[in-house]
Amino acid sequence: MEMSMASTTPCFSLPKKTFCISTPIFKKHLFGTTLPCCLSAKLPLKLNPIPTSIKCAVSEATQAPSEKKSQLMRRSDIRNIAIVAHVDHGKTTLVDSMLKQAKVFRDNQFVQERIMDSNDIERERGITILSKNTSITYKDTKINIIDTPGHSDFGGEVERILNMVEGVLLVVDSVEGPMPQTRFVLKKALEFGHAVVVVVNKIDRPSARPEFVVNSTFELFIELNATDEQCDFQVIYASGIKGKAGLSPENLGEDLGSLFEAVIRCIPGPKINKDGALQMLATNIEYEEHKGRIAIGRVHAGSLRRGMDVKICTSEDACRFGRVSEVFVYEKFSRVPAETVEAGDICAVCGIDDIQIGETIADKSNGKPLPSIKVEEPTVKMSFSVNTSPFVGREGKYVTSRNLRDRLYRELERNLAMKVEDGETADTFIVSGRGTLHITILIENMRREGYEFMVGPPKVINKRVDDKLLEPFEIATVEVPEEHMGSVVELLGKRRGQMFDMQGLGSEGTTFLKYKIPTRGLLGLRNSILTASRGTAILNTVFESYEPWAGDISTRDLGSLVAFEDGTSTSYALMSSQDRGQLFIGPGVDVYKGQIVGIHQRSGDLALNVCKKKAATNVRSNKEVTVVLDTPLDFSLDDCIEYIQEDELVEVTPSSIRMLKNPKSAKKTR
């Protein structure tokens, strides 16, 4: 191994690659204990003094080749960035602090937490589902910021918006380090050739371990075949909730100034063809009652004017003509009307009613389409069908197959990672997505809009290659306290999981487990793992690859308690029924024959009469029996979808979620 020295950056020449490590990042590792394991060796180190200012090889190296082309140039007054991270690593909270410090809001203005999470479901669940745009101005430079989801199920959102940006802020938790979704979003960003600034967030946590996190992140870059310039990433240490950042974990500034400086210096401006023919790729679609469909994207070449005649092209060179009625740019926390948008900026366009994601808005005479957006294939599918229960039409507004079909195909216009196809019958549709959460969010949105329908259990999408049956495998990471580790390991083993890493996590007494497990084994796992760990385990998964079929997996050992007849449940009947298992219903609830009313304490299903009334005889008893009922289990939509098996369905209405045995199933209850 040879080592070549630049003015400030040491470079390691390995047999196939040269790795450059910026000294501000690795000053502790080079002067302190060890290098990352991939570079650990006895090196004749002779280091120059460590620079204290932000210096990025990324921006310099990225900009150099582009200037040779006469028609391409860089805009220095704009930066387009996406904030990507694993779920709960603090992206949206960091954006809150960036907006506040850029004086987007008045000093006396009330601003709610996680302001970018504007959707009701996002606020209830505390997660980001849809990517959203905003912008701030720092030292005469406009920074367009796109907040992205952290769950791997919504990875399609991340893949789409990476077309609009030149760089990403990779936010990593100071304790957990790179997690499965960190790997996924970083892999996509590196494939696009984007510059990366690593933000080690939550640095104020008591068990923060910034050295380990930076080392792990660097190893991840090398593992994902990053270029020399990308490996020379800048690290910023930050506390998003306090709004502080700095170049070292012990010395944070009073504000996020270091982060803004890193964005300006390390992320290049957009590369544009200023005098070329107009090209804008529609990367996102929104809808407003008065303006209709709004296409959001970055202008790649030329300029876009209000009232301009354009042509809309698909990647197959099929074009149609249209007119832009209004153009908006993002300023602070709102959309502002504009007359002209120059190449390099992100804008919203109204007036083209039939535009789809992935289409190009081009010059009417000389425009050419841009490459369309590609997203990864779905791995899980569920069947949606018309509600056929006795309670159909009681609570929902849209109940027919035509309503269901229109709504599902409308979802495809915005949700590129989802697929819909017709099922075996005219009133059944197969919906495929990245995971159960991806499809569950669609179900939740539809029931809030007034739809009433039934869904079947989730199934994995298998492939057959060279006469071999392949199924999707995922990387599952589990964070669990040491005292519950045994039961969690046993549970994952039963589901064909293979452990390949285990490590302790700081001083918090938790163990970090990494498994490779079939997607089938993950269906219904979340509730089981919470039960096994007394609610303390945290499970995260991300798709890895398709591999040979792993064999049969038993996901549920217990059967269901099924209602015997239609009627209203009574305390008298429930008192004897609760000895058979745990119930989902209390007294006074309308039920129908075939509805699942509880979990049987043994395998196999059991039919019960939960509507039986006490016989009214003329014989007086000396004392009335006091009925004491257990509290019924309250299953959410996610819990119900995890619970059901092949011969069961979930009935979804705006105000109720019920489970029932599938009437078409050949399996009989005993």
Side-chain angles (χ1 to χ4, degrees):
M1 187 189 293
E2 299 170 1
M3 181 175 172
S4 58
M5 297 300 297
S7 57
T8 54
T9 309
C11 296
F12 300 91
S13 300
L14 295 180
K16 291 187 179 178
K17 204 161 195 177
T18 301
F19 298 106
C20 299
I21 313 171
S22 59
T23 40
I25 304 169
F26 279 89
K27 59 185 180 184
K28 289 201 172 171
H29 310 293
L30 295 175
F31 286 98
T33 51
T34 57
L35 281 165
C37 64
C38 49
L39 295 175
S40 57
K42 292 185 179 178
L43 300 173
L45 292 181
K46 186 179 179 183
L47 294 171
N48 292 327
I50 299 163
T52 52
S53 61
I54 297 170
K55 177 168 173 55
C56 301
V58 177
S59 55
E60 294 160 12
T62 316
Q63 284 184 4
S66 64
E67 315 310 336
K68 295 176 184 175
K69 298 182 180 178
S70 57
Q71 74 273 28
L72 292 181
M73 56 177 287
R74 291 268 182 200
R75 276 190 75 171
S76 59
D77 61 333
I78 285 183
R79 298 289 185 276
N80 297 321
I81 63 168
I83 300 191
V84 297
H86 186 78
V87 62
D88 279 344
H89 279 198
K91 294 181 303 298
T92 310
T93 308
L94 185 64
V95 175
D96 278 2
S97 294
M98 293 172 78
L99 290 170
K100 287 172 186 171
Q101 294 189 19
K103 301 296 181 188
V104 169
F105 310 109
R106 297 190 315 272
D107 291 338
N108 63 344
Q109 184 175 346
F110 170 73
V111 181
Q112 59 190 6
E113 283 186 9
R114 302 194 318 277
I115 191 166
M116 295 293 279
D117 287 348
S118 51
N119 188 315
D120 285 346
I121 299 180
E122 290 180 324
R123 300 203 68 79
E124 287 168 19
R125 293 180 179 238
I127 60 174
T128 304
I129 296 169
L130 304 172
S131 56
K132 299 174 199 69
N133 300 49
T134 187
S135 83
I136 60 175
T137 303
Y138 179 78
K139 290 187 179 178
D140 300 325
T141 302
K142 180 181 180 183
I143 304 175
N144 286 310
I145 301 171
I146 306 175
D147 186 25
T148 64
H151 278 87
S152 56
D153 287 33
F154 309 116
E157 290 280 317
V158 181
E159 290 172 89
R160 268 192 303 145
I161 62 94
L162 288 176
N163 281 282
M164 286 201 283
V165 299
E166 283 74 40
V168 296
L169 292 187
L170 181 71
V171 182
V172 187
D173 188 286
S174 65
V175 176
E176 295 177 357
M179 296 285 278
Q181 182 66 359
T182 314
R183 181 192 180 91
F184 174 80
V185 293
L186 180 59
K187 177 185 168 193
K188 292 297 170 189
L190 295 176
E191 283 173 4
F192 276 90
H194 291 334
V196 182
V197 173
V198 175
V199 181
V200 180
N201 196 23
K202 305 186 184 179
I203 199 67
D204 50 342
R205 284 182 68 173
S207 53
R209 42 181 189 167
E211 293 189 21
F212 166 81
V213 170
V214 175
N215 264 345
S216 304
T217 307
F218 181 71
E219 289 180 20
L220 184 58
F221 269 75
I222 293 176
E223 205 177 311
L224 296 174
N225 295 320
T227 64
D228 299 351
E229 293 81 17
Q230 287 169 329
C231 281
D232 188 17
F233 55 83
Q234 174 69 47
V235 175
I236 300 292
Y237 301 93
S239 168
I241 200 161
K242 291 182 178 177
K244 294 181 178 181
L247 295 175
S248 70
E250 300 87 11
N251 189 20
L252 296 187
E254 290 303 310
D255 54 22
L256 294 173
S258 334
L259 180 59
F260 291 131
E261 285 292 336
V263 169
I264 301 296
R265 297 192 189 183
C266 299
I267 293 177
K271 188 163 55 173
I272 61 167
N273 183 356
K274 188 176 182 181
D275 303 320
L278 168 67
Q279 283 182 310
M280 173 187 156
L281 186 69
T283 311
N284 212 343
I285 295 285
E286 288 185 9
Y287 183 82
E288 276 190 20
E289 201 68 40
H290 302 294
K291 294 185 174 67
R293 287 171 80 84
I294 302 171
I296 300 168
R298 195 185 90 195
V299 180
H300 285 256
S303 58
L304 185 65
R305 298 185 307 279
R306 189 162 71 92
M308 186 178 184
D309 288 324
V310 295
K311 68 178 177 184
I312 300 96
C313 304
T314 63
S315 55
E316 292 84 28
D317 288 336
C319 297
R320 59 192 187 280
F321 295 97
R323 170 172 284 192
V324 175
S325 61
E326 287 184 273
V327 179
F328 297 88
V329 293
Y330 289 89
E331 279 188 16
K332 297 190 174 178
F333 201 64
S334 57
R335 281 201 293 254
V336 179
E339 286 295 322
T340 305
V341 178
E342 299 291 337
D345 207 351
I346 293 174
C347 67
V349 177
C350 305
I352 305 168
D353 294 333
D354 57 350
I355 190 158
Q356 303 288 342
I357 290 175
E359 292 185 331
T360 304
I361 299 173
D363 185 77
K364 188 176 181 181
S365 50
N366 303 319
K368 293 180 181 177
L370 291 161
S372 63
I373 300 168
K374 292 183 174 66
V375 296
E376 292 192 1
E377 293 293 308
T379 56
V380 174
K381 62 183 179 182
M382 291 171 67
S383 66
F384 284 51
S385 58
V386 171
N387 190 2
T388 54
S389 82
F391 294 168
V392 60
R394 281 194 186 185
E395 300 163 357
K397 185 178 176 184
Y398 307 107
V399 295
T400 65
S401 62
R402 183 176 58 82
N403 296 141
L404 190 59
R405 166 190 277 275
D406 291 348
R407 177 63 182 85
L408 290 175
Y409 280 97
R410 198 163 69 242
E411 182 69 19
L412 296 185
E413 294 175 1
R414 198 185 178 287
N415 205 330
L416 286 194
M418 194 168 275
K419 290 187 177 179
V420 176
E421 52 196 15
D422 293 339
E424 296 175 357
T425 59
D427 58 358
T428 306
F429 306 93
I430 306 299
V431 179
S432 307
R434 286 283 185 84
T436 49
L437 181 64
H438 189 198
I439 303 176
T440 303
I441 294 295
L442 169 64
I443 296 170
E444 185 63 45
N445 277 323
M446 287 175 67
R447 70 181 284 250
R448 291 181 186 211
E449 292 165 17
Y451 286 85
E452 190 175 297
F453 53 98
M454 288 180 169
V455 293
K459 300 175 183 174
V460 298
I461 299 172
N462 298 319
K463 287 182 179 178
R464 191 170 284 279
V465 179
D466 299 332
D467 288 334
K468 285 185 180 178
L469 184 62
L470 305 181
E471 66 172 331
F473 274 71
E474 305 200 16
I475 298 294
T477 60
V478 187
E479 204 177 312
V480 61
E482 288 178 10
E483 60 266 27
H484 302 304
M485 192 175 75
S487 52
V488 169
V489 168
E490 183 185 358
L491 182 63
L492 288 163
K494 285 180 181 175
R495 291 172 177 254
R496 306 276 178 176
Q498 297 175 341
M499 186 195 297
F500 64 88
D501 189 18
M502 180 172 73
Q503 52 182 291
L505 259 189
S507 59
E508 295 180 357
T510 55
T511 305
F512 191 68
L513 308 171
K514 278 191 179 181
Y515 274 83
K516 191 170 189 177
I517 186 169
T519 305
R520 278 183 306 136
L522 293 171
L523 302 178
L525 177 63
R526 206 168 295 270
N527 271 344
S528 306
I529 216 163
L530 285 173
T531 305
S533 64
R534 305 290 189 271
T536 56
I538 300 171
L539 171 70
N540 290 295
T541 61
V542 69
F543 173 72
E544 171 72 3
S545 60
Y546 272 87
E547 296 192 12
W549 179 264
D552 292 332
I553 296 174
S554 172
T555 55
R556 198 178 92 195
D557 300 326
L558 304 177
S560 299
L561 300 176
V562 184
F564 189 76
E565 62 179 7
D566 300 357
T568 304
S569 60
T570 63
S571 302
Y572 177 72
L574 293 177
M575 185 175 66
S576 56
S577 300
Q578 68 185 13
D579 296 334
R580 305 287 187 176
Q582 293 176 290
L583 296 175
F584 295 140
I585 61 168
V589 177
D590 289 340
V591 298
Y592 52 81
K593 184 178 180 180
Q595 181 179 334
I596 296 172
V597 294
I599 303 173
H600 192 200
Q601 61 192 8
R602 296 190 178 90
S603 58
D605 298 332
L606 180 67
L608 294 173
N609 187 354
V610 292
C611 306
K612 184 169 61 176
K613 295 178 181 175
K614 189 175 181 181
T617 63
N618 200 28
V619 179
R620 298 285 184 268
S621 61
N622 294 332
K623 184 182 176 185
E624 285 292 328
V625 178
T626 306
V627 176
V628 179
L629 296 178
D630 297 335
T631 306
L633 291 174
D634 184 17
F635 267 24
S636 66
L637 175 62
D638 303 69
D639 297 333
C640 291
I641 287 171
E642 280 197 358
Y643 175 80
I644 59 172
Q645 290 195 312
E646 282 291 319
D647 61 331
E648 296 166 347
L649 299 169
V650 178
E651 178 190 356
V652 180
T653 72
S655 50
S656 306
I657 298 169
R658 307 181 189 93
M659 291 179 283
L660 67 149
K661 302 303 286 187
N662 189 348
K664 297 176 184 175
S665 174
K667 191 175 177 182
K668 299 274 194 278
T669 57
R670 66 180 181 84

